[in-house]
Amino acid sequence: MKKWMLYVGLGLFLAIPVYFWLPAFLATDSPTDYPCVIGRLLALAGFILILFQVLLSSRLKWLERNLGLDKMLATHKTAGIFGFGFMLAHPVLHFSSDLLSLGTVILKWPMIFGLVTILIVIVTVGSALLYGRLHLKYGMWKQLHWVNFIILPIIFVHSLLLGTEMASQPALVSFWYFLGALYLVLVAFILWDRIQVRRHPLQVTDVVQETRDTWSVHFKGQKPDHKPGQFMMLSMLRDGHMVEPHPFTISSSPTSDDLSVSVKAIGDFTSTIKDTNPADQVYIGAPYGTFSFLNYDAPNLVFIAGGIGITPFMSMLRYMRDRMLERNVLLIWGNKTEQDIAFKDELEKMAAARPSLRVVHVLSNQPDWPGEKGYVDLELLRKYLDGFENPQFFVCGPPVMMTKVIRALRQAGVPKMRIHYERFALR
Ligand SMILES: Cc1cc2nc3c(=O)[nH]c(=O)nc-3n(C[C@H](O)[C@H](O)[C@H](O)COP(=O)(O)OP(=O)(O)OC[C@H]3O[C@@H](n4cnc5c(N)ncnc54)[C@H](O)[C@@H]3O)c2cc1C
């Protein structure tokens, strides 16, 4: 599915409640009723946006194939901000009308559903928005986020019991039941998808230290059919219990029998990756992502990596080597020191065997490095891009580096549609 189709679909779904709501809006003659009537539209639209959010977080393969999971989750976040914002505005506007017209607020018992929703929204959306400031652990945030799944059923009941438009328009009620059924199908799919993952465990075959803080873990078992550059959700069994899934790019090539990820130790889980034992069992959900040169028909490619952001490029370069694909590739890779460069020998061999591959190492923390020093910036890009005609750019690395590189590329006049990037964050 293409992005525009998704938005057209959302627009159509949103147009349906507007159609049912419009007559009531046009018939409103008292100014004090307007807040309530507008609040009712926001509640209807909020319901649909939250359903859309569930769809975007469902990891449906046919959706993900073109959009990419990271972009789907970014849209999920935006839809959530609007959806939950509308939900919160609904009671405020409703009670404002009561106060303006009657001087008091009328409470009915089914409003309890609305109140429960608001409390849940404050906790779950608040924790999502303030994730960084609250220094929440990802696992804790994720568990809080799961609570969102009970919101839609609650507001479904609330709207059927109290909704003014529902009371007078049976066709809207039927549409609402359809949306409710869609929600149940999505939840069933999400559960089925998680169960499927557990049906085919893989086994760790080897754990190889690449640098002081990066390890490659190799697996055997049913290999996913993936493109070079895509990622997987990896769950490991530790002390008999399953660790929550973490996303890692598949650093091996689809052409090889090997399946591997290369992991930099940066936090709670990744710091334990070195303790993985051969024969340990893992579960994977794959493939995800659209970050692959195979999605673009271009002879010239520029790969810009920062630190562990090299993993999708390793997969792509290994694929090109194995398939003997002739593409002009410039790989610019930023690291702190020479010691941090993983796969150095392998890259050197690849470059020696293929004159169409050029590797430029840029080190930020090694004054005696004979090559490029500092960071990947506009000046450096201009120096190496000379002669490269209309390349497709692929950028992957730490957030700050990505922002700077993408800005520099834009300053150099590269159109947005030729810049592709993978954020190593799904939030
Ligand atoms: C598409 C993608 C591909 C990636 N590929 C690689 C790779 O090839 N090699 C590599 O070393 N790293 C990769 N990462 C990053 C890797 O997923 C995180 O470093 C890892 O999940 C951090 O977990 P932690 O418990 O060690 O760190 P923590 O300190 O607990 O978390 C650090 C940050 O990592 C993210 N994170 C933590 N747990 C999860 C989780 N279960 N699911 C999603 N995000 C989480 C959160 O943003 C969190 O703020 C990739 C990330 C994404 C999104």
Side-chain angles (χ1 to χ4, degrees), residues 131 137-138 231 233 244-249 262-264 266-271 308 311-312 422-427:
Y131 173 79
K137 291 264 180 218
Y138 184 90
F231 69 96
M233 298 298 295
E244 59 165 350
H246 287 254
F248 294 107
T249 304
S262 304
V263 177
K264 179 171 173 153
I266 60 135
D268 292 350
F269 171 68
T270 46
S271 303
I308 193 62
T311 50
E422 182 86 283
R423 283 173 63 239
F424 272 7
L426 287 182
R427 285 198 65 265

PDB file of all heavy atoms in Angstrom, residues 131 137-138 231 233 244-249 262-264 266-271 308 311-312 422-427, ligand 1:
ATOM      1  N   TYR A 131       8.488  10.823  27.805  1.00  0.00           N
ATOM      2  CA  TYR A 131       9.376   9.655  27.944  1.00  0.00           C
ATOM      3  C   TYR A 131      10.806  10.066  28.339  1.00  0.00           C
ATOM      4  O   TYR A 131      11.366   9.558  29.309  1.00  0.00           O
ATOM      5  CB  TYR A 131       9.366   8.905  26.615  1.00  0.00           C
ATOM      6  CG  TYR A 131      10.337   7.761  26.496  1.00  0.00           C
ATOM      7  CD1 TYR A 131      10.056   6.535  27.078  1.00  0.00           C
ATOM      8  CD2 TYR A 131      11.536   7.910  25.783  1.00  0.00           C
ATOM      9  CE1 TYR A 131      10.934   5.473  26.957  1.00  0.00           C
ATOM     10  CE2 TYR A 131      12.420   6.847  25.664  1.00  0.00           C
ATOM     11  CZ  TYR A 131      12.114   5.646  26.243  1.00  0.00           C
ATOM     12  OH  TYR A 131      13.000   4.600  26.125  1.00  0.00           O
ATOM     13  N   LYS A 137      12.185   3.800  31.565  1.00  0.00           N
ATOM     14  CA  LYS A 137      12.787   2.665  30.860  1.00  0.00           C
ATOM     15  C   LYS A 137      11.871   2.329  29.694  1.00  0.00           C
ATOM     16  O   LYS A 137      10.642   2.393  29.829  1.00  0.00           O
ATOM     17  CB  LYS A 137      12.869   1.445  31.791  1.00  0.00           C
ATOM     18  CG  LYS A 137      13.870   1.617  32.895  1.00  0.00           C
ATOM     19  CD  LYS A 137      15.175   0.981  32.484  1.00  0.00           C
ATOM     20  CE  LYS A 137      16.224   1.137  33.567  1.00  0.00           C
ATOM     21  NZ  LYS A 137      17.530   1.391  33.061  1.00  0.00           N
ATOM     22  N   TYR A 138      12.470   1.893  28.571  1.00  0.00           N
ATOM     23  CA  TYR A 138      11.661   1.588  27.394  1.00  0.00           C
ATOM     24  C   TYR A 138      10.596   0.529  27.723  1.00  0.00           C
ATOM     25  O   TYR A 138       9.432   0.664  27.337  1.00  0.00           O
ATOM     26  CB  TYR A 138      12.575   1.083  26.261  1.00  0.00           C
ATOM     27  CG  TYR A 138      11.838   0.827  24.982  1.00  0.00           C
ATOM     28  CD1 TYR A 138      11.683   1.829  24.034  1.00  0.00           C
ATOM     29  CD2 TYR A 138      11.269  -0.421  24.715  1.00  0.00           C
ATOM     30  CE1 TYR A 138      10.990   1.597  22.856  1.00  0.00           C
ATOM     31  CE2 TYR A 138      10.579  -0.654  23.542  1.00  0.00           C
ATOM     32  CZ  TYR A 138      10.448   0.354  22.616  1.00  0.00           C
ATOM     33  OH  TYR A 138       9.756   0.119  21.457  1.00  0.00           O
ATOM     34  N   PHE A 231      15.425  -4.819   8.745  1.00  0.00           N
ATOM     35  CA  PHE A 231      15.708  -5.184  10.135  1.00  0.00           C
ATOM     36  C   PHE A 231      14.725  -6.213  10.666  1.00  0.00           C
ATOM     37  O   PHE A 231      13.735  -6.540  10.003  1.00  0.00           O
ATOM     38  CB  PHE A 231      15.751  -3.943  11.029  1.00  0.00           C
ATOM     39  CG  PHE A 231      14.434  -3.244  11.247  1.00  0.00           C
ATOM     40  CD1 PHE A 231      13.650  -3.502  12.364  1.00  0.00           C
ATOM     41  CD2 PHE A 231      13.979  -2.294  10.347  1.00  0.00           C
ATOM     42  CE1 PHE A 231      12.456  -2.837  12.580  1.00  0.00           C
ATOM     43  CE2 PHE A 231      12.780  -1.627  10.540  1.00  0.00           C
ATOM     44  CZ  PHE A 231      12.018  -1.899  11.660  1.00  0.00           C
ATOM     45  N   MET A 233      12.847  -7.874  14.480  1.00  0.00           N
ATOM     46  CA  MET A 233      12.589  -7.691  15.903  1.00  0.00           C
ATOM     47  C   MET A 233      13.094  -8.971  16.561  1.00  0.00           C
ATOM     48  O   MET A 233      12.624 -10.064  16.238  1.00  0.00           O
ATOM     49  CB  MET A 233      11.092  -7.517  16.179  1.00  0.00           C
ATOM     50  CG  MET A 233      10.471  -6.308  15.518  1.00  0.00           C
ATOM     51  SD  MET A 233      11.149  -4.710  16.040  1.00  0.00           S
ATOM     52  CE  MET A 233      10.677  -4.650  17.745  1.00  0.00           C
ATOM     53  N   GLU A 244      11.815  -8.709  25.972  1.00  0.00           N
ATOM     54  CA  GLU A 244      10.974  -8.008  24.983  1.00  0.00           C
ATOM     55  C   GLU A 244      11.745  -7.822  23.672  1.00  0.00           C
ATOM     56  O   GLU A 244      12.976  -7.666  23.679  1.00  0.00           O
ATOM     57  CB  GLU A 244      10.538  -6.648  25.535  1.00  0.00           C
ATOM     58  CG  GLU A 244      11.712  -5.777  25.873  1.00  0.00           C
ATOM     59  CD  GLU A 244      11.330  -4.322  26.073  1.00  0.00           C
ATOM     60  OE1 GLU A 244      10.212  -3.961  25.776  1.00  0.00           O
ATOM     61  OE2 GLU A 244      12.207  -3.574  26.517  1.00  0.00           O
ATOM     62  N   PRO A 245      11.031  -7.823  22.541  1.00  0.00           N
ATOM     63  CA  PRO A 245      11.732  -7.715  21.259  1.00  0.00           C
ATOM     64  C   PRO A 245      12.444  -6.379  21.065  1.00  0.00           C
ATOM     65  O   PRO A 245      11.920  -5.338  21.452  1.00  0.00           O
ATOM     66  CB  PRO A 245      10.617  -7.871  20.221  1.00  0.00           C
ATOM     67  CG  PRO A 245       9.337  -7.826  20.943  1.00  0.00           C
ATOM     68  CD  PRO A 245       9.578  -7.959  22.396  1.00  0.00           C
ATOM     69  N   HIS A 246      13.640  -6.462  20.502  1.00  0.00           N
ATOM     70  CA  HIS A 246      14.415  -5.248  20.163  1.00  0.00           C
ATOM     71  C   HIS A 246      14.675  -5.245  18.659  1.00  0.00           C
ATOM     72  O   HIS A 246      14.941  -6.290  18.075  1.00  0.00           O
ATOM     73  CB  HIS A 246      15.764  -5.242  20.888  1.00  0.00           C
ATOM     74  CG  HIS A 246      15.663  -4.955  22.344  1.00  0.00           C
ATOM     75  ND1 HIS A 246      16.024  -3.755  22.900  1.00  0.00           N
ATOM     76  CD2 HIS A 246      15.228  -5.713  23.367  1.00  0.00           C
ATOM     77  CE1 HIS A 246      15.820  -3.792  24.198  1.00  0.00           C
ATOM     78  NE2 HIS A 246      15.341  -4.971  24.515  1.00  0.00           N
ATOM     79  N   PRO A 247      14.653  -4.068  18.031  1.00  0.00           N
ATOM     80  CA  PRO A 247      14.930  -4.030  16.588  1.00  0.00           C
ATOM     81  C   PRO A 247      16.433  -4.016  16.281  1.00  0.00           C
ATOM     82  O   PRO A 247      17.166  -3.238  16.885  1.00  0.00           O
ATOM     83  CB  PRO A 247      14.292  -2.691  16.158  1.00  0.00           C
ATOM     84  CG  PRO A 247      14.286  -1.849  17.395  1.00  0.00           C
ATOM     85  CD  PRO A 247      14.304  -2.749  18.592  1.00  0.00           C
ATOM     86  N   PHE A 248      16.851  -4.877  15.376  1.00  0.00           N
ATOM     87  CA  PHE A 248      18.246  -4.872  14.902  1.00  0.00           C
ATOM     88  C   PHE A 248      18.268  -5.125  13.406  1.00  0.00           C
ATOM     89  O   PHE A 248      17.556  -6.004  12.915  1.00  0.00           O
ATOM     90  CB  PHE A 248      19.084  -5.950  15.611  1.00  0.00           C
ATOM     91  CG  PHE A 248      19.249  -5.696  17.082  1.00  0.00           C
ATOM     92  CD1 PHE A 248      18.579  -6.468  18.005  1.00  0.00           C
ATOM     93  CD2 PHE A 248      20.050  -4.653  17.534  1.00  0.00           C
ATOM     94  CE1 PHE A 248      18.701  -6.217  19.366  1.00  0.00           C
ATOM     95  CE2 PHE A 248      20.175  -4.393  18.895  1.00  0.00           C
ATOM     96  CZ  PHE A 248      19.502  -5.174  19.812  1.00  0.00           C
ATOM     97  N   THR A 249      19.109  -4.372  12.712  1.00  0.00           N
ATOM     98  CA  THR A 249      19.267  -4.590  11.273  1.00  0.00           C
ATOM     99  C   THR A 249      19.930  -5.937  11.041  1.00  0.00           C
ATOM    100  O   THR A 249      20.834  -6.319  11.788  1.00  0.00           O
ATOM    101  CB  THR A 249      20.162  -3.482  10.690  1.00  0.00           C
ATOM    102  OG1 THR A 249      19.570  -2.232  11.019  1.00  0.00           O
ATOM    103  CG2 THR A 249      20.301  -3.612   9.194  1.00  0.00           C
ATOM    104  N   SER A 262      24.570  -7.234  14.227  1.00  0.00           N
ATOM    105  CA  SER A 262      25.752  -6.704  14.904  1.00  0.00           C
ATOM    106  C   SER A 262      25.262  -5.627  15.851  1.00  0.00           C
ATOM    107  O   SER A 262      24.601  -4.678  15.420  1.00  0.00           O
ATOM    108  CB  SER A 262      26.741  -6.142  13.884  1.00  0.00           C
ATOM    109  OG  SER A 262      27.046  -7.168  12.966  1.00  0.00           O
ATOM    110  N   VAL A 263      25.580  -5.822  17.125  1.00  0.00           N
ATOM    111  CA  VAL A 263      24.919  -5.023  18.162  1.00  0.00           C
ATOM    112  C   VAL A 263      25.930  -4.226  18.968  1.00  0.00           C
ATOM    113  O   VAL A 263      26.926  -4.769  19.448  1.00  0.00           O
ATOM    114  CB  VAL A 263      24.125  -5.961  19.113  1.00  0.00           C
ATOM    115  CG1 VAL A 263      23.474  -5.182  20.239  1.00  0.00           C
ATOM    116  CG2 VAL A 263      23.088  -6.751  18.328  1.00  0.00           C
ATOM    117  N   LYS A 264      25.637  -2.936  19.115  1.00  0.00           N
ATOM    118  CA  LYS A 264      26.505  -2.093  19.943  1.00  0.00           C
ATOM    119  C   LYS A 264      25.900  -2.025  21.348  1.00  0.00           C
ATOM    120  O   LYS A 264      24.695  -1.773  21.504  1.00  0.00           O
ATOM    121  CB  LYS A 264      26.589  -0.699  19.335  1.00  0.00           C
ATOM    122  CG  LYS A 264      27.451   0.234  20.132  1.00  0.00           C
ATOM    123  CD  LYS A 264      27.666   1.512  19.388  1.00  0.00           C
ATOM    124  CE  LYS A 264      28.389   2.483  20.302  1.00  0.00           C
ATOM    125  NZ  LYS A 264      29.177   3.434  19.607  1.00  0.00           N
ATOM    126  N   ILE A 266      24.786  -0.390  24.319  1.00  0.00           N
ATOM    127  CA  ILE A 266      24.531   0.991  24.746  1.00  0.00           C
ATOM    128  C   ILE A 266      23.587   1.057  25.947  1.00  0.00           C
ATOM    129  O   ILE A 266      23.429   2.102  26.544  1.00  0.00           O
ATOM    130  CB  ILE A 266      23.898   1.841  23.617  1.00  0.00           C
ATOM    131  CG1 ILE A 266      22.566   1.237  23.165  1.00  0.00           C
ATOM    132  CG2 ILE A 266      24.824   2.073  22.445  1.00  0.00           C
ATOM    133  CD1 ILE A 266      21.505   2.261  23.013  1.00  0.00           C
ATOM    134  N   GLY A 267      22.920  -0.058  26.270  1.00  0.00           N
ATOM    135  CA  GLY A 267      21.909   0.039  27.333  1.00  0.00           C
ATOM    136  C   GLY A 267      21.669  -1.289  28.009  1.00  0.00           C
ATOM    137  O   GLY A 267      22.487  -2.212  27.917  1.00  0.00           O
ATOM    138  N   ASP A 268      20.532  -1.391  28.688  1.00  0.00           N
ATOM    139  CA  ASP A 268      20.224  -2.559  29.528  1.00  0.00           C
ATOM    140  C   ASP A 268      20.370  -3.875  28.776  1.00  0.00           C
ATOM    141  O   ASP A 268      21.058  -4.782  29.210  1.00  0.00           O
ATOM    142  CB  ASP A 268      18.782  -2.466  30.048  1.00  0.00           C
ATOM    143  CG  ASP A 268      18.624  -1.317  31.031  1.00  0.00           C
ATOM    144  OD1 ASP A 268      19.661  -0.758  31.426  1.00  0.00           O
ATOM    145  OD2 ASP A 268      17.475  -0.991  31.383  1.00  0.00           O
ATOM    146  N   PHE A 269      19.697  -3.976  27.638  1.00  0.00           N
ATOM    147  CA  PHE A 269      19.698  -5.247  26.925  1.00  0.00           C
ATOM    148  C   PHE A 269      20.971  -5.435  26.107  1.00  0.00           C
ATOM    149  O   PHE A 269      21.629  -6.474  26.176  1.00  0.00           O
ATOM    150  CB  PHE A 269      18.469  -5.342  26.007  1.00  0.00           C
ATOM    151  CG  PHE A 269      18.523  -6.519  25.098  1.00  0.00           C
ATOM    152  CD1 PHE A 269      18.413  -7.811  25.605  1.00  0.00           C
ATOM    153  CD2 PHE A 269      18.743  -6.362  23.729  1.00  0.00           C
ATOM    154  CE1 PHE A 269      18.507  -8.918  24.765  1.00  0.00           C
ATOM    155  CE2 PHE A 269      18.837  -7.460  22.893  1.00  0.00           C
ATOM    156  CZ  PHE A 269      18.716  -8.738  23.413  1.00  0.00           C
ATOM    157  N   THR A 270      21.328  -4.417  25.342  1.00  0.00           N
ATOM    158  CA  THR A 270      22.479  -4.573  24.440  1.00  0.00           C
ATOM    159  C   THR A 270      23.785  -4.815  25.221  1.00  0.00           C
ATOM    160  O   THR A 270      24.698  -5.440  24.709  1.00  0.00           O
ATOM    161  CB  THR A 270      22.620  -3.343  23.522  1.00  0.00           C
ATOM    162  OG1 THR A 270      22.490  -2.164  24.309  1.00  0.00           O
ATOM    163  CG2 THR A 270      21.556  -3.329  22.449  1.00  0.00           C
ATOM    164  N   SER A 271      23.833  -4.358  26.478  1.00  0.00           N
ATOM    165  CA  SER A 271      25.043  -4.605  27.279  1.00  0.00           C
ATOM    166  C   SER A 271      25.162  -6.082  27.649  1.00  0.00           C
ATOM    167  O   SER A 271      26.230  -6.517  28.076  1.00  0.00           O
ATOM    168  CB  SER A 271      25.024  -3.781  28.563  1.00  0.00           C
ATOM    169  OG  SER A 271      24.895  -2.443  28.240  1.00  0.00           O
ATOM    170  N   ILE A 308      27.404   2.477  14.711  1.00  0.00           N
ATOM    171  CA  ILE A 308      26.746   1.194  14.444  1.00  0.00           C
ATOM    172  C   ILE A 308      25.736   1.306  13.281  1.00  0.00           C
ATOM    173  O   ILE A 308      25.243   0.284  12.788  1.00  0.00           O
ATOM    174  CB  ILE A 308      26.078   0.648  15.741  1.00  0.00           C
ATOM    175  CG1 ILE A 308      25.668  -0.820  15.597  1.00  0.00           C
ATOM    176  CG2 ILE A 308      24.890   1.504  16.163  1.00  0.00           C
ATOM    177  CD1 ILE A 308      26.806  -1.767  15.360  1.00  0.00           C
ATOM    178  N   THR A 311      25.456  -1.118   9.968  1.00  0.00           N
ATOM    179  CA  THR A 311      24.916  -2.482   9.773  1.00  0.00           C
ATOM    180  C   THR A 311      24.072  -2.644   8.495  1.00  0.00           C
ATOM    181  O   THR A 311      24.277  -3.611   7.770  1.00  0.00           O
ATOM    182  CB  THR A 311      24.130  -2.963  11.017  1.00  0.00           C
ATOM    183  OG1 THR A 311      23.202  -1.940  11.389  1.00  0.00           O
ATOM    184  CG2 THR A 311      25.047  -3.282  12.168  1.00  0.00           C
ATOM    185  N   PRO A 312      23.151  -1.713   8.180  1.00  0.00           N
ATOM    186  CA  PRO A 312      22.405  -1.928   6.929  1.00  0.00           C
ATOM    187  C   PRO A 312      23.315  -1.877   5.704  1.00  0.00           C
ATOM    188  O   PRO A 312      23.091  -2.576   4.719  1.00  0.00           O
ATOM    189  CB  PRO A 312      21.388  -0.780   6.903  1.00  0.00           C
ATOM    190  CG  PRO A 312      21.792   0.193   7.942  1.00  0.00           C
ATOM    191  CD  PRO A 312      22.655  -0.532   8.916  1.00  0.00           C
ATOM    192  N   GLU A 422      17.441   5.708   7.867  1.00  0.00           N
ATOM    193  CA  GLU A 422      16.886   4.768   8.853  1.00  0.00           C
ATOM    194  C   GLU A 422      17.228   5.305  10.223  1.00  0.00           C
ATOM    195  O   GLU A 422      18.402   5.491  10.549  1.00  0.00           O
ATOM    196  CB  GLU A 422      17.532   3.390   8.667  1.00  0.00           C
ATOM    197  CG  GLU A 422      17.004   2.326   9.609  1.00  0.00           C
ATOM    198  CD  GLU A 422      15.743   1.644   9.095  1.00  0.00           C
ATOM    199  OE1 GLU A 422      14.655   2.259   9.187  1.00  0.00           O
ATOM    200  OE2 GLU A 422      15.846   0.518   8.609  1.00  0.00           O
ATOM    201  N   ARG A 423      16.203   5.603  11.006  1.00  0.00           N
ATOM    202  CA  ARG A 423      16.445   6.027  12.392  1.00  0.00           C
ATOM    203  C   ARG A 423      16.543   4.772  13.239  1.00  0.00           C
ATOM    204  O   ARG A 423      15.705   3.887  13.104  1.00  0.00           O
ATOM    205  CB  ARG A 423      15.276   6.885  12.890  1.00  0.00           C
ATOM    206  CG  ARG A 423      15.273   8.304  12.391  1.00  0.00           C
ATOM    207  CD  ARG A 423      13.980   9.000  12.798  1.00  0.00           C
ATOM    208  NE  ARG A 423      13.841   9.103  14.236  1.00  0.00           N
ATOM    209  CZ  ARG A 423      12.826   8.593  14.925  1.00  0.00           C
ATOM    210  NH1 ARG A 423      11.876   7.934  14.333  1.00  0.00           N
ATOM    211  NH2 ARG A 423      12.764   8.724  16.228  1.00  0.00           N
ATOM    212  N   PHE A 424      17.539   4.704  14.114  1.00  0.00           N
ATOM    213  CA  PHE A 424      17.646   3.539  14.995  1.00  0.00           C
ATOM    214  C   PHE A 424      16.795   3.766  16.243  1.00  0.00           C
ATOM    215  O   PHE A 424      17.242   3.551  17.371  1.00  0.00           O
ATOM    216  CB  PHE A 424      19.113   3.272  15.365  1.00  0.00           C
ATOM    217  CG  PHE A 424      19.828   2.373  14.383  1.00  0.00           C
ATOM    218  CD1 PHE A 424      19.229   1.989  13.204  1.00  0.00           C
ATOM    219  CD2 PHE A 424      21.108   1.891  14.660  1.00  0.00           C
ATOM    220  CE1 PHE A 424      19.868   1.161  12.298  1.00  0.00           C
ATOM    221  CE2 PHE A 424      21.764   1.059  13.760  1.00  0.00           C
ATOM    222  CZ  PHE A 424      21.149   0.694  12.583  1.00  0.00           C
ATOM    223  N   ALA A 425      15.593   4.261  16.058  1.00  0.00           N
ATOM    224  CA  ALA A 425      14.680   4.471  17.179  1.00  0.00           C
ATOM    225  C   ALA A 425      13.262   4.304  16.653  1.00  0.00           C
ATOM    226  O   ALA A 425      12.935   4.834  15.597  1.00  0.00           O
ATOM    227  CB  ALA A 425      14.857   5.858  17.760  1.00  0.00           C
ATOM    228  N   LEU A 426      12.466   3.556  17.399  1.00  0.00           N
ATOM    229  CA  LEU A 426      11.095   3.324  16.941  1.00  0.00           C
ATOM    230  C   LEU A 426      10.077   4.152  17.706  1.00  0.00           C
ATOM    231  O   LEU A 426       8.881   3.989  17.540  1.00  0.00           O
ATOM    232  CB  LEU A 426      10.734   1.833  17.075  1.00  0.00           C
ATOM    233  CG  LEU A 426      11.390   0.895  16.073  1.00  0.00           C
ATOM    234  CD1 LEU A 426      10.924  -0.528  16.276  1.00  0.00           C
ATOM    235  CD2 LEU A 426      11.116   1.337  14.641  1.00  0.00           C
ATOM    236  N   ARG A 427      10.512   5.028  18.545  1.00  0.00           N
ATOM    237  CA  ARG A 427       9.557   5.818  19.318  1.00  0.00           C
ATOM    238  C   ARG A 427       9.224   7.109  18.594  1.00  0.00           C
ATOM    239  O   ARG A 427      10.037   7.683  17.945  1.00  0.00           O
ATOM    240  CB  ARG A 427      10.120   6.155  20.694  1.00  0.00           C
ATOM    241  CG  ARG A 427      10.100   4.972  21.625  1.00  0.00           C
ATOM    242  CD  ARG A 427      10.227   5.392  23.039  1.00  0.00           C
ATOM    243  NE  ARG A 427       9.069   6.174  23.469  1.00  0.00           N
ATOM    244  CZ  ARG A 427       8.979   7.506  23.474  1.00  0.00           C
ATOM    245  NH1 ARG A 427       9.961   8.224  23.090  1.00  0.00           N
ATOM    246  NH2 ARG A 427       7.890   8.102  23.873  1.00  0.00           N
TER     247      ARG A 427
HETATM  248  C1  LIG B   1      15.183  -0.009  12.689  1.00  0.00           C
HETATM  249  C2  LIG B   1      16.256  -0.165  13.753  1.00  0.00           C
HETATM  250  C3  LIG B   1      17.401  -0.864  13.474  1.00  0.00           C
HETATM  251  C4  LIG B   1      18.391  -0.970  14.442  1.00  0.00           C
HETATM  252  N1  LIG B   1      19.530  -1.665  14.139  1.00  0.00           N
HETATM  253  C5  LIG B   1      20.517  -1.771  15.057  1.00  0.00           C
HETATM  254  C6  LIG B   1      21.717  -2.494  14.771  1.00  0.00           C
HETATM  255  O1  LIG B   1      21.885  -3.059  13.694  1.00  0.00           O
HETATM  256  N2  LIG B   1      22.647  -2.562  15.748  1.00  0.00           N
HETATM  257  C7  LIG B   1      22.485  -1.961  16.959  1.00  0.00           C
HETATM  258  O2  LIG B   1      23.385  -2.066  17.805  1.00  0.00           O
HETATM  259  N3  LIG B   1      21.376  -1.262  17.256  1.00  0.00           N
HETATM  260  C8  LIG B   1      20.383  -1.170  16.350  1.00  0.00           C
HETATM  261  N4  LIG B   1      19.240  -0.490  16.659  1.00  0.00           N
HETATM  262  C9  LIG B   1      19.118   0.150  17.974  1.00  0.00           C
HETATM  263  C10 LIG B   1      18.750  -0.891  19.025  1.00  0.00           C
HETATM  264  O3  LIG B   1      17.451  -1.385  18.773  1.00  0.00           O
HETATM  265  C11 LIG B   1      18.763  -0.236  20.410  1.00  0.00           C
HETATM  266  O4  LIG B   1      20.076   0.179  20.652  1.00  0.00           O
HETATM  267  C12 LIG B   1      18.377  -1.223  21.482  1.00  0.00           C
HETATM  268  O5  LIG B   1      17.041  -1.621  21.337  1.00  0.00           O
HETATM  269  C13 LIG B   1      18.596  -0.554  22.834  1.00  0.00           C
HETATM  270  O6  LIG B   1      18.154  -1.413  23.846  1.00  0.00           O
HETATM  271  P1  LIG B   1      18.810  -1.381  25.321  1.00  0.00           P
HETATM  272  O7  LIG B   1      17.884  -2.083  26.235  1.00  0.00           O
HETATM  273  O8  LIG B   1      20.190  -1.882  25.293  1.00  0.00           O
HETATM  274  O9  LIG B   1      18.943   0.163  25.619  1.00  0.00           O
HETATM  275  P2  LIG B   1      18.124   1.124  26.581  1.00  0.00           P
HETATM  276  O10 LIG B   1      19.123   1.987  27.244  1.00  0.00           O
HETATM  277  O11 LIG B   1      17.158   0.391  27.436  1.00  0.00           O
HETATM  278  O12 LIG B   1      17.290   1.970  25.524  1.00  0.00           O
HETATM  279  C14 LIG B   1      17.917   2.945  24.736  1.00  0.00           C
HETATM  280  C15 LIG B   1      16.933   3.366  23.668  1.00  0.00           C
HETATM  281  O13 LIG B   1      16.788   2.279  22.740  1.00  0.00           O
HETATM  282  C16 LIG B   1      15.410   2.158  22.344  1.00  0.00           C
HETATM  283  N5  LIG B   1      14.902   0.860  22.785  1.00  0.00           N
HETATM  284  C17 LIG B   1      15.155   0.222  23.938  1.00  0.00           C
HETATM  285  N6  LIG B   1      14.516  -0.944  23.991  1.00  0.00           N
HETATM  286  C18 LIG B   1      13.831  -1.050  22.844  1.00  0.00           C
HETATM  287  C19 LIG B   1      12.950  -2.026  22.302  1.00  0.00           C
HETATM  288  N7  LIG B   1      12.649  -3.142  22.961  1.00  0.00           N
HETATM  289  N8  LIG B   1      12.392  -1.788  21.093  1.00  0.00           N
HETATM  290  C20 LIG B   1      12.665  -0.664  20.405  1.00  0.00           C
HETATM  291  N9  LIG B   1      13.489   0.292  20.857  1.00  0.00           N
HETATM  292  C21 LIG B   1      14.072   0.107  22.053  1.00  0.00           C
HETATM  293  C22 LIG B   1      14.660   3.278  23.000  1.00  0.00           C
HETATM  294  O14 LIG B   1      14.610   4.382  22.107  1.00  0.00           O
HETATM  295  C23 LIG B   1      15.506   3.617  24.189  1.00  0.00           C
HETATM  296  O15 LIG B   1      15.316   4.952  24.574  1.00  0.00           O
HETATM  297  C24 LIG B   1      18.222  -0.382  15.717  1.00  0.00           C
HETATM  298  C25 LIG B   1      17.037   0.294  15.989  1.00  0.00           C
HETATM  299  C26 LIG B   1      16.075   0.402  15.028  1.00  0.00           C
HETATM  300  C27 LIG B   1      14.814   1.125  15.350  1.00  0.00           C
END
